[in-house]
Amino acid sequence: METSEDKLNSRRSTLGTLALWVALPLALGILFSLMIPRPVIGLINLNDAIYSYSANDLIAQINYARDHPEVRAIVLLLDSPGGTVADTEAIYLELIKLRQSKPVVTIVQGMAASGAYYLAVGTDHIITSPSSMVGNIGVIAELPPEPVIQENIATTGPYKMSGTPRDSLLREMEMVKQGFYQAVMLGRGEKLQIGPEILLRGQLWTGSEALQLGLVDEIGSQSEAITRASQLALIRNYQVSDLRELTGLSEPFPYYFFIETPDGVLTPYPKAPGTYLLYIPPMDRRLP
Amino acid sequence: MKRLPILLAIGAFLLPVVIRGLWFYRGFYKPTHSITAPEYTELFLPTSPPGVKGTEVEMVDASGIIVLVDWAHENKFDITELEGFINILTELGAAVEIVQSPYSSGDPYSSDATPLDQRLKYADAYIVIAPSATFSDDDVQHLTHFVERGGRLLVTCDPTRVVRGLSSYDYESYYVYSLGSVVAANSLLAPFDLTFSDGFLYNLLENEGNYRNVIFRSFGEDSLTAGLSTVAFYGVSSIVTNTGTPLIIGDRNTLSSRTDASGEWAPLVRSQNGSVIALGDLTFLTPPYDQIADNQLLISHLIDFLVSGERQQDLSDYPHIFQQPVAILESETFDLAAETLQTILGLEISLDSLDLQLSIVEEPSPDLDLIAFDSYRPSEDLRLLLEPFKGLVLPEDSEDGSLSVPGFGQLNPAGIGTMLLSRTDGRTTLILLTNSRDELITLAEMLANDELYRCLLREHIALCKVGVGEGFDSISDLGLYNYDDTFYEQFPFTDEPFLPTPIPTVTP
């Protein structure tokens, strides 16, 4: 006959067993689940021209996103007239690499011209505000001077100082343009509603026009870009973080790139001569 | 029985993991399509179409041809850019002269600054490249007349040659402006129905290394386009014409920057009379672009065009109508005397500029060009010289004493001097006829002083006013040299306000 004490002991034994087989694994499971990170949508801001400093910053943020598993998607916020060819291509290639593992969505907030649009077509989805400026596909360069001999500067070749003959530079620009055009075709593909005869005119379009022409995917805002990134990355209850802060980068300093007037006005002209994927708007006032 | 606790343990362990996982993730991201970058290694540097060797081009002999290059209209090019072009011309025997503005060198007496009309008297062809100063009415008139007499005119614009400047010195308001050569060139080309369009042509799909370097493969039939298959222009304007002939025509992918539309744009057009060419590019004339595609062949054709005109000289070309020493044929009306000495000296000075000697003879000589002076009652010797002018009837040969001049009709000879130019067996004869010795002196002075613009000219005949015609009371009536003082005396000066005279009303 089982006594009440036996029953109590049996219950204690059952509870002990339950504690051993359920509560402990549950606690461990809870602890273990905490190792599953809350997904992060990383924001990468480019509100500057593309040049060595800004490109290094962007590439550092892209690398951070690639190296950190909690960053599940990236939203690239663009407001840029483009910049140097080499830096643009470097960022573009990093974006392509990143997209193998994580989706990238672009939101154009003002302007994605030339090199900036080059970056945009390297992402999975492009959103723009209705009046943002998009496009300007093409290359711009100041032709080097004809070779001259200087009395007190000796060189070992006629193009040592200028770097390239004028005609060669034109043809090199054409080659850069071909790469840009291929990138656009790869990024936009069948979505494009216009052929190269219009696409390559170097025109800037408003966001609404760009949508009709297939240069972007939709009109929207930053929050919609974030939502779209979360959908592509198959995540929810995510957090949004500025990758610049996570990477520990300092604030950008645009004065490296553009010519500044003596009274502190930043012109749209780059300081150094060269070949650019850059939109340079017409200026009606110049330095004397 | 032991399996249940184990399953419970696993379930308990996985539960929070699954819940947290599902709380954050709906699945695992995988790209929906392959993500690739452009094949940068397969990009190619555009190359130029191969060129035709210049030696394959047959060239004409251009000995004695004089080609003028305009440098008087703030032309936006450097003469050295034309070095190759000029070298070909000189190798063919042509002489090339640069026409400067009388005001540009600061030395109006410099030989380079000889006025345009004087230069055109002996030139065969005139080249205008990228002018930025408009042509004056006089310049246009001179060049139009030059073309009408068989002179060749080549006008080239280039959209890369623009004048850039600041609109004002005021920092707050100045802006950069650009002025192409189109406006200036069109001021010259209007009489020939040729008009350069503003802007430039481009082709984004097929070009010579850059969209603005346009390849042309469509040509009109003309000696200028013979044998051409491909021509490349480097920054090119187009030309509009109603009556001219487009010689090079862009394809449907060649667009104008003015409209971004195609339209069979023509960068090379020949005028209706065939003597004027409008060309939309300068760069292709310069190395290394002159060696691309068939550009060298086109350049050869252009040179042929310049040196193959049949320049006809007329009286307005004096003194360049003479090619050998000149003799003055004495007559009863005009001989060496105190009154004529100054006039003869003036003629000698005008001929001296061509290193032509002037002598006075009593009979014509086949080795000498001739200037003959006489009245409308000429000597028998002079009548022989007048034989080439069919239709010329002198007053003494007509019933009413009138003068009949070919091209002018019948007129009263009073106060009118006639110049007649003929060329026989390589000898030039210029005959001056008037009513009197004084009028002959006046007419000869007009000739020596290059004042034939005051005469009515019909190629080889000129009628000039040298005196008072019948029906005039005095020379003052002509209103040319004097004015009548009484005109001012008769004018009713008054302090009264001027009131218009009412229109008279007509009552029935």
Coordinates of all heavy atoms in Angstrom, one line a residue, chain A residues 32-84:
Chain A
F32 N 21.0 29.5 -25.3 CA 21.6 29.3 -26.7 C 20.9 30.2 -27.7 O 21.6 30.7 -28.6 CB 21.4 27.8 -27.1 CG 22.1 27.4 -28.3 CD1 23.5 27.2 -28.3 CD2 21.4 27.4 -29.5 CE1 24.1 26.9 -29.5 CE2 22.1 27.0 -30.7 CZ 23.4 26.8 -30.7
S33 N 19.6 30.3 -27.5 CA 18.8 31.1 -28.5 C 19.3 32.6 -28.5 O 19.2 33.3 -29.5 CB 17.3 31.1 -28.3 OG 17.0 31.8 -27.1
L34 N 19.8 33.0 -27.4 CA 20.3 34.4 -27.3 C 21.5 34.6 -28.2 O 21.9 35.7 -28.5 CB 20.7 34.7 -25.8 CG 19.5 34.9 -24.9 CD1 20.0 35.2 -23.5 CD2 18.6 36.0 -25.4
M35 N 22.1 33.4 -28.6 CA 23.2 33.5 -29.5 C 22.8 33.8 -30.9 O 23.6 34.2 -31.8 CB 24.1 32.2 -29.5 CG 24.8 32.0 -28.2 SD 25.6 30.5 -28.1 CE 26.8 30.6 -29.3
I36 N 21.5 33.6 -31.2 CA 20.9 34.0 -32.5 C 20.8 35.5 -32.5 O 19.9 36.0 -31.7 CB 19.6 33.3 -32.8 CG1 19.8 31.8 -32.8 CG2 19.0 33.8 -34.1 CD1 18.5 31.0 -32.9
P37 N 21.5 36.2 -33.3 CA 21.5 37.6 -33.2 C 20.2 38.2 -33.8 O 19.6 37.6 -34.7 CB 22.7 38.1 -34.0 CG 22.9 37.0 -35.0 CD 22.4 35.7 -34.4
R38 N 19.9 39.3 -33.3 CA 18.7 40.1 -33.8 C 19.3 40.7 -35.2 O 20.3 41.3 -35.2 CB 18.3 41.2 -32.9 CG 17.1 42.0 -33.5 CD 16.7 43.1 -32.5 NE 15.6 43.8 -33.1 CZ 15.1 44.9 -32.6 NH1 15.7 45.5 -31.5 NH2 14.0 45.5 -33.1
P39 N 18.5 40.4 -36.3 CA 19.0 40.9 -37.6 C 19.1 42.4 -37.6 O 18.3 43.1 -37.1 CB 18.0 40.3 -38.6 CG 16.8 40.1 -37.8 CD 17.2 39.8 -36.4
V40 N 20.1 42.8 -38.4 CA 20.4 44.2 -38.5 C 20.3 44.6 -40.0 O 20.8 43.8 -40.9 CB 21.8 44.6 -38.0 CG1 22.2 46.0 -38.3 CG2 21.9 44.3 -36.5
I41 N 19.6 45.6 -40.3 CA 19.7 46.2 -41.6 C 20.7 47.4 -41.5 O 20.4 48.4 -40.8 CB 18.3 46.7 -42.1 CG1 17.5 45.5 -42.4 CG2 18.5 47.5 -43.4 CD1 16.1 45.8 -42.8
G42 N 21.8 47.3 -42.2 CA 22.8 48.3 -42.1 C 22.6 49.4 -43.1 O 22.2 49.2 -44.3
L43 N 22.7 50.6 -42.7 CA 22.5 51.8 -43.6 C 23.9 52.3 -43.9 O 24.8 52.5 -43.1 CB 21.8 52.9 -42.9 CG 20.4 52.6 -42.4 CD1 19.8 53.9 -41.7 CD2 19.5 52.1 -43.5
I44 N 24.1 52.4 -45.2 CA 25.4 53.0 -45.7 C 25.1 54.3 -46.5 O 24.3 54.3 -47.4 CB 26.1 52.0 -46.7 CG1 26.5 50.8 -45.9 CG2 27.4 52.7 -47.2 CD1 27.3 49.7 -46.8
N45 N 25.6 55.4 -45.9 CA 25.3 56.7 -46.5 C 26.4 57.1 -47.4 O 27.5 57.1 -47.1 CB 25.2 57.7 -45.4 CG 23.7 58.0 -45.0 OD1 23.0 58.6 -45.9 ND2 23.3 57.6 -43.9
L46 N 26.0 57.6 -48.6 CA 26.9 58.3 -49.5 C 26.3 59.6 -49.9 O 25.5 59.7 -50.8 CB 27.3 57.5 -50.7 CG 28.2 58.2 -51.7 CD1 29.6 58.4 -51.1 CD2 28.3 57.4 -53.0
N47 N 26.6 60.6 -49.1 CA 26.1 62.0 -49.5 C 27.3 62.9 -49.8 O 27.5 64.0 -49.2 CB 25.2 62.6 -48.4 CG 25.8 62.4 -47.0 OD1 27.0 62.1 -46.9 ND2 25.0 62.7 -46.0
D48 N 28.2 62.4 -50.6 CA 29.4 63.1 -51.0 C 29.8 62.6 -52.4 O 29.2 61.6 -52.9 CB 30.5 62.6 -50.0 CG 31.8 63.5 -50.1 OD1 31.8 64.4 -50.9 OD2 32.7 63.2 -49.3
A49 N 30.8 63.2 -52.9 CA 31.3 62.6 -54.2 C 32.1 61.3 -53.9 O 32.4 61.0 -52.7 CB 32.3 63.6 -54.8
I50 N 32.3 60.6 -54.9 CA 33.1 59.3 -54.8 C 34.5 59.6 -55.1 O 34.9 59.9 -56.2 CB 32.5 58.2 -55.7 CG1 31.0 58.0 -55.5 CG2 33.3 56.9 -55.6 CD1 30.3 57.2 -56.6
Y51 N 35.4 59.5 -54.1 CA 36.8 59.7 -54.2 C 37.5 58.9 -53.2 O 36.8 58.1 -52.5 CB 37.2 61.2 -54.1 CG 36.7 61.8 -52.8 CD1 37.5 62.1 -51.8 CD2 35.3 62.2 -52.7 CE1 37.1 62.6 -50.6 CE2 34.9 62.8 -51.6 CZ 35.8 63.0 -50.5 OH 35.3 63.6 -49.4
S52 N 38.8 58.9 -53.1 CA 39.5 58.0 -52.3 C 39.0 57.9 -50.8 O 38.7 56.8 -50.3 CB 41.0 58.3 -52.3 OG 41.2 59.6 -51.8
Y53 N 38.7 59.0 -50.2 CA 38.3 59.0 -48.8 C 36.9 58.4 -48.7 O 36.7 57.5 -47.8 CB 38.3 60.4 -48.2 CG 39.7 60.9 -47.9 CD1 40.4 61.6 -48.9 CD2 40.4 60.6 -46.7 CE1 41.7 62.1 -48.6 CE2 41.7 61.0 -46.5 CZ 42.3 61.8 -47.4 OH 43.6 62.2 -47.2
S54 N 36.0 58.9 -49.5 CA 34.6 58.4 -49.3 C 34.5 56.9 -49.8 O 33.8 56.2 -49.2 CB 33.7 59.3 -50.2 OG 34.0 59.2 -51.5
A55 N 35.3 56.6 -50.8 CA 35.3 55.2 -51.2 C 35.9 54.3 -50.1 O 35.3 53.2 -49.9 CB 36.2 55.1 -52.5
N56 N 36.9 54.7 -49.5 CA 37.5 53.8 -48.4 C 36.5 53.7 -47.3 O 36.3 52.6 -46.7 CB 38.8 54.5 -47.8 CG 39.9 54.3 -48.8 OD1 39.9 53.5 -49.7 ND2 40.9 55.2 -48.7
D57 N 35.8 54.7 -47.0 CA 34.7 54.6 -45.9 C 33.6 53.6 -46.4 O 33.2 52.8 -45.6 CB 34.1 56.0 -45.8 CG 34.9 56.9 -44.8 OD1 36.0 56.5 -44.5 OD2 34.4 58.0 -44.5
L58 N 33.2 53.8 -47.6 CA 32.1 52.9 -48.1 C 32.6 51.4 -48.1 O 31.9 50.5 -47.7 CB 31.7 53.3 -49.5 CG 30.3 53.9 -49.6 CD1 30.3 55.3 -48.9 CD2 29.9 54.1 -51.0
I59 N 33.8 51.2 -48.6 CA 34.3 49.8 -48.7 C 34.5 49.2 -47.2 O 34.2 48.1 -47.0 CB 35.6 49.8 -49.5 CG1 35.3 50.1 -50.9 CG2 36.3 48.5 -49.3 CD1 36.5 50.3 -51.8
A60 N 34.9 50.1 -46.3 CA 35.0 49.6 -44.9 C 33.6 49.2 -44.4 O 33.5 48.1 -43.7 CB 35.6 50.7 -44.0
Q61 N 32.6 49.9 -44.7 CA 31.3 49.6 -44.2 C 30.7 48.3 -44.9 O 30.1 47.5 -44.3 CB 30.3 50.8 -44.5 CG 30.7 52.0 -43.6 CD 29.8 53.2 -44.0 OE1 28.6 53.2 -43.7 NE2 30.5 54.2 -44.6
I62 N 31.0 48.2 -46.2 CA 30.6 47.0 -47.0 C 31.3 45.8 -46.4 O 30.7 44.7 -46.2 CB 30.9 47.2 -48.5 CG1 30.0 48.3 -49.1 CG2 30.7 45.9 -49.2 CD1 30.4 48.7 -50.5
N63 N 32.6 45.9 -46.1 CA 33.3 44.8 -45.5 C 32.8 44.4 -44.1 O 32.7 43.2 -43.8 CB 34.8 45.1 -45.4 CG 35.5 45.1 -46.8 OD1 35.0 44.5 -47.7 ND2 36.6 45.8 -46.9
Y64 N 32.4 45.4 -43.4 CA 31.8 45.2 -42.1 C 30.5 44.4 -42.2 O 30.3 43.4 -41.5 CB 31.5 46.5 -41.3 CG 30.9 46.3 -40.0 CD1 31.7 46.3 -38.8 CD2 29.5 46.2 -39.8 CE1 31.2 46.1 -37.6 CE2 29.0 46.0 -38.6 CZ 29.8 46.0 -37.5 OH 29.2 45.8 -36.2
A65 N 29.7 44.8 -43.2 CA 28.4 44.1 -43.4 C 28.7 42.7 -43.8 O 28.0 41.8 -43.4 CB 27.7 44.9 -44.5
R66 N 29.7 42.5 -44.6 CA 30.0 41.1 -45.1 C 30.5 40.2 -44.0 O 30.2 39.1 -43.9 CB 31.0 41.2 -46.3 CG 31.0 39.9 -47.1 CD 31.8 40.0 -48.4 NE 33.0 40.7 -48.2 CZ 33.5 41.7 -48.9 NH1 32.7 42.3 -49.8 NH2 34.6 42.2 -48.6
D67 N 31.3 40.8 -43.1 CA 31.9 40.1 -42.1 C 31.1 39.8 -40.8 O 31.4 39.0 -40.0 CB 33.2 40.8 -41.6 CG 34.2 40.8 -42.7 OD1 34.1 40.1 -43.7 OD2 35.2 41.7 -42.7
H68 N 30.0 40.6 -40.7 CA 29.1 40.4 -39.5 C 27.8 39.8 -39.9 O 27.0 40.4 -40.6 CB 28.9 41.8 -38.9 CG 30.1 42.3 -38.2 ND1 31.2 42.8 -38.9 CD2 30.5 42.4 -36.9 CE1 32.2 43.2 -38.1 NE2 31.7 42.9 -36.8
P69 N 27.6 38.6 -39.4 CA 26.4 37.8 -39.8 C 25.1 38.4 -39.4 O 24.0 38.2 -40.0 CB 26.6 36.4 -39.2 CG 27.6 36.6 -38.1 CD 28.4 37.8 -38.5
E70 N 25.1 39.2 -38.3 CA 23.8 39.8 -37.9 C 23.4 40.9 -38.9 O 22.2 41.2 -38.9 CB 24.0 40.5 -36.5 CG 24.8 41.7 -36.4 CD 26.3 41.5 -36.3 OE1 26.7 40.4 -36.6 OE2 27.0 42.4 -35.9
V71 N 24.3 41.4 -39.7 CA 23.9 42.4 -40.7 C 23.3 41.5 -41.9 O 24.1 40.9 -42.6 CB 25.1 43.3 -41.2 CG1 24.6 44.2 -42.3 CG2 25.7 44.0 -40.0
R72 N 22.0 41.6 -42.0 CA 21.4 40.7 -43.0 C 21.0 41.4 -44.3 O 20.7 40.7 -45.3 CB 20.1 40.1 -42.4 CG 20.3 39.4 -41.0 CD 21.2 38.2 -41.1 NE 20.6 37.1 -41.9 CZ 21.1 35.9 -41.8 NH1 22.2 35.6 -41.1 NH2 20.5 34.9 -42.5
A73 N 21.0 42.7 -44.3 CA 20.7 43.4 -45.5 C 21.3 44.8 -45.4 O 21.6 45.3 -44.3 CB 19.2 43.5 -45.7
I74 N 21.4 45.4 -46.5 CA 22.0 46.8 -46.5 C 21.1 47.7 -47.3 O 20.6 47.3 -48.4 CB 23.5 46.7 -47.1 CG1 24.4 46.0 -46.2 CG2 24.0 48.1 -47.4 CD1 24.5 44.6 -46.4
V75 N 21.0 48.9 -46.8 CA 20.3 49.9 -47.6 C 21.4 51.0 -47.9 O 22.0 51.5 -47.0 CB 19.1 50.5 -46.8 CG1 18.6 51.8 -47.5 CG2 18.0 49.5 -46.6
L76 N 21.5 51.2 -49.2 CA 22.5 52.2 -49.6 C 21.8 53.5 -49.9 O 20.9 53.6 -50.8 CB 23.2 51.7 -50.9 CG 24.3 52.6 -51.5 CD1 25.5 52.7 -50.5 CD2 24.8 52.0 -52.8
L77 N 22.1 54.5 -49.1 CA 21.4 55.8 -49.2 C 22.3 56.7 -50.1 O 23.4 57.1 -49.7 CB 21.2 56.5 -47.9 CG 20.2 55.7 -46.9 CD1 21.0 54.9 -46.0 CD2 19.3 56.7 -46.2
L78 N 21.8 57.1 -51.3 CA 22.7 57.9 -52.2 C 22.2 59.3 -52.4 O 21.0 59.5 -52.6 CB 22.7 57.2 -53.6 CG 23.4 55.9 -53.7 CD1 23.3 55.4 -55.1 CD2 24.9 56.0 -53.3
D79 N 23.2 60.2 -52.2 CA 22.9 61.6 -52.7 C 24.3 62.0 -53.1 O 25.1 62.7 -52.4 CB 22.4 62.4 -51.5 CG 22.1 63.8 -52.0 OD1 22.1 64.1 -53.2 OD2 21.9 64.7 -51.1
S80 N 24.6 61.7 -54.4 CA 26.0 61.9 -54.8 C 26.0 62.2 -56.3 O 25.3 61.6 -57.1 CB 26.8 60.6 -54.5 OG 28.1 60.7 -55.2
P81 N 26.9 63.1 -56.7 CA 27.1 63.3 -58.2 C 28.0 62.4 -58.9 O 28.4 62.5 -60.0 CB 27.7 64.7 -58.2 CG 28.5 64.8 -57.0 CD 27.8 63.9 -56.0
G82 N 28.5 61.3 -58.1 CA 29.5 60.4 -58.7 C 30.9 60.9 -58.3 O 31.1 61.6 -57.3
G83 N 31.9 60.4 -59.0 CA 33.3 60.8 -58.7 C 34.3 60.1 -59.6 O 34.1 60.0 -60.8
T84 N 35.4 59.7 -59.0 CA 36.4 59.1 -59.8 C 36.1 57.7 -60.3 O 35.3 57.0 -59.7 CB 37.7 59.0 -59.0 OG1 37.5 58.1 -57.9 CG2 38.2 60.3 -58.4

